[in-house]
Each structure stands twice: as structure tokens, then as C-alpha cells.
Amino acid sequence: MPVTYWAEHLWLEDRVVPGVALDVADGRVAAVRRDVPAPPPGAEVLRGFTLPGTANAHSHAFHRALRGHVQAGSGDFWTWRDQMYRVADRLTPDTYHALARAVYAEMALAGITCVGEFHYLHHAPGGRPYDDPNAMGQALVAAAAEAGVRITLLDTCYLSAGFGQPPTRPQLRFSDGTAEAWAERADALTQDATTRVGAAVHSVRAVPADQLETVARWAEERRAPLHVHLSEQPAENAACRDAHGRTPTRLLADHGVLGPRTVAVHATHLTGEDVAALGGAATGVCMCPTTERDLADGIGPAVALQDAGSPLSLGSDSHAVIDLFEEARAMELDERLRTRRRGHWSAARLLHAATAAGHAALGWPEAGRIAVGAPADLTTVALDTVRTAGPPPSLAAETAVHAASAADVRHTVVAGRYVVRDGVHTAVPDPAAALASAIAAVTGPA
């Protein structure tokens, strides 16, 4: 049914435009009418600053159960990983669906309209396939649909504990045995209006070099996005050099993994040659600043990557927080700390990373913008909260990026329909209670 949304202030062509009516039909923008100073009769009113829905380009939904738990004590990425494995071992298709539904509802409340789920938890404990080999992936797809967000299921190939090492017991759930078996299982996944399917190489340590091309070819044949964790830890780089005499980036390049539909996640510890190789291949990079700082991973060379030709997107990864505005400003603020200089990206460029670039990274190039024919996916940020009040509306982009939080999202619209209205999720009655229940089911006593 056609509907008109009236935006008090709209992010349009990289500037704030007051008084814009958006006519929506069949889930897409049918018309953009400027100079509409008051809501037309019957229009849905979006008070505040409306921008394209944001895209969370890197998610591990079950990691949300670790929030709070892994912040107690100290350690590093590897000690964090041990706790992650314990949660993974307790998930079933039903408990994963309940947890992911609540997590995706939290994302919608944060203004996220599309998520890229980096999915490697495929099988039952011990590695036995479920009767439906894609039961866990289907649980994620159903959870996203029920929470009202789009999803790109990045089905992940994960075969090894390390270079030449078989999977450990916790990793048996992740492994299909070979890349060919992974591809056969992934072939059974289907797409619909709100679901797209992509591929992922978990990392160079988890997919043997002689099987990387199988995954890359699968994605190429389907013109699907291909994501890969890259150089998140110096230990990964050192192990790759020991095993192959080259960096992980060079190994991926040599096996045909890099390219414009590929996204490297983290890309924290790179050489100058790595940066040039990624940029020269137009390989995207997804930065996940809140996770990278939570795990003490380091600060990646985002400015150098962008300058070299790599499009930048953003993800909340382990969900230490779920807030794309925080991810956007953290990318800038981390770079300020590293260089002791301000202003590496404008608010417009950071919003681009959170919207259009994120959607493109997930295989939705038509989304993440407000234009005729684009999906009617919108996020409205309130400009009258204690965090956002004060600046003039002309500075709404700067306010959103540098001051707002997920708590300031007033409305979220996906395909022309409210998913969040006045801060309330329209389909998940109590997301906080749903999160508490789902997390208790996988972290409580055995």
C-alpha cells in the first residue's frame, strides 16, 4: 500500500534538507519531493534527522551473549576466544534463533536496517550435520525476518585450527571437511526479498591455501559478496609467514580472493604492500572499532586503505556495543589518537561508510541511499535529546556522528514499513527481556 513519509530534516545528496516528502510504493521510494514545509495530510511524520538505514557489515550474532562476561578480568583475543567457544558449544537451532532474533531487534532499535552475518556455526557439537545441514543458517535468516531487518548471510568456510592443523573439538561445529563440501552445503541456501547469500573465508589460518580458490570461485560464479577476517592479530601474520613465506594479504591475492566484491574485515596489521594490494584490487575493508578496542587488537590503517582505493564499511562484530554511530566516530577518533591530528573524515564520509558503503559490501548496492527506486529503508535520529539538543539542524550530520547514540534513534523503516516507531520495536514486544532470556539459555548453568 502506498504511503508518504514526511521528514523534518533529510540527509539527501550529502546535505541536510528540511521538509522533504518521500512517496513510497512496493517498498521503494517512488518520489522525493523537496520544499514541503509541513506534513501532507495522512503522511507519516519523521521528526528529527532522517538518513538512509545503516548497514552493519560484520556481525557474529551469538557473540552478543558474551557482553559483560568477557569484560571481566584481563587477557587478549585468544583468551576471549576460549569464552566464545564455550557459548558456541551450547547453541542449537532453536536457541540460536531466539538469540539472533533479539540481537537483530536490538540492531533495528539502533537504526540498522541490514546486517551482514558472518556465519560459521554450521553443525551440531562434534561436527555432526543437522537433518537440515543449513539449520543454523536458516535460524539466522528467520530471526532477521522476524526482527524486520535485511540480512546477507555470509556462509563461512572454516576447515582448520591453524596452518596444517585439524579443527579442535569446538571448531568441529564449524567445519564441512573440505571447501567442496562447504560449497555443496552453501548451494542449498536461497534468497528472497530481504535475504541475500554471500560467502566468507574465515581466515587464512582456517582455510588451507589450496582450498581458497574454491570459495572465491563459488562467490564469483554467483556474483556474491566474499568476506574474510584479515590480519586481525600479529600472531596470524607470523604464522602465515612461517607456513607460506608471505603475508595473509599476499596469500589471498595469489589465490584469487581479492577483488571489488571482497571485503577484508579488520585489516589491522598490514604492511605497506598489503595496503597497496587491497586498494589496487578495490577490495573493501570493514572496520569494527568497538570490537578492535575491546579485544585490544590495535588500530588499523583506515586512512591509508581508503587512499589506496579500498571502500570502508563498518561493523559491530562481537557486539560489545551495537551502535553504528559509535563505530563511525570511533574510526575517526582512533585515527586521531594514533596521529594526534583531527579531521580525517567528514561526517558525510563517515555516514557514507555506515550506509551506502556498508550496503554495497553486503551485496545491496541499490540500498543505503535515498533516491527514486531505492529501497525505502530509513533511520530517524532525534535532535532533541540530551545528547543531540543544541546544534542547528544544518549540523545534523555532525551531531549524529559525533554525539548521537543508538538510544537516540526514534524510527526505523525497512521496505517502507515501520520496524521501530517512536523508539518501540513493532514486532518484538520486549527486546531487552528477549535478550536476557536468550542469553541466559546459553550462558547459565549446564
Side-chain angles (χ1 to χ4, degrees), residues 257-392:
V257 176
L258 303 187
R261 280 193 301 279
T262 299
V263 175
V265 181
H266 302 303
T268 309
H269 302 282
L270 302 179
T271 68
E273 291 180 356
D274 292 340
V275 171
L278 291 166
T283 297
V285 174
C286 180
M287 308 300 291
C288 305
T290 65
T291 290
E292 290 149 7
R293 70 192 185 198
D294 183 54
L295 298 182
D297 284 343
I299 300 170
V303 171
L305 285 161
Q306 179 175 270
D307 289 347
S310 290
L312 301 180
S313 55
L314 298 165
S316 63
D317 190 5
S318 68
H319 312 312
V321 297
I322 294 177
D323 187 336
L324 262 289
F325 302 110
E326 174 63 22
E327 302 295 344
R329 72 171 151 265
M331 188 164 72
E332 165 68 25
L333 296 180
D334 284 354
E335 191 68 15
R336 292 183 185 186
L337 287 174
R338 191 180 69 81
T339 64
R340 292 178 292 172
R341 186 169 61 82
R342 304 174 73 232
H344 301 275
W345 292 277
S346 66
R349 293 305 303 170
L350 293 170
L351 286 178
H352 179 81
T355 56
H359 281 92
L362 296 177
W364 300 84
E366 72 277 28
R369 58 196 179 92
I370 297 173
V372 173
D377 298 353
L378 310 169
T379 297
T380 301
V381 178
L383 296 178
D384 56 1
T385 73
V386 291
R387 287 166 294 278
T388 61

Side-chain angles (χ1 to χ4, degrees), residues 220-239:
E220 177 64 26
E221 289 172 351
R222 290 156 185 78
R223 303 189 68 77
L226 173 61
H227 288 215
V228 55
H229 290 134
L230 178 64
S231 293
E232 184 177 1
Q233 293 293 323
E236 175 185 299
N237 291 352

Side-chain angles (χ1 to χ4, degrees), residues 38-39 66 80 158 167 213 302 335 377 404 435:
L66 298 168
W80 170 90
Y158 193 133
E213 291 179 20
E335 191 68 15
D377 298 353
L435 282 164

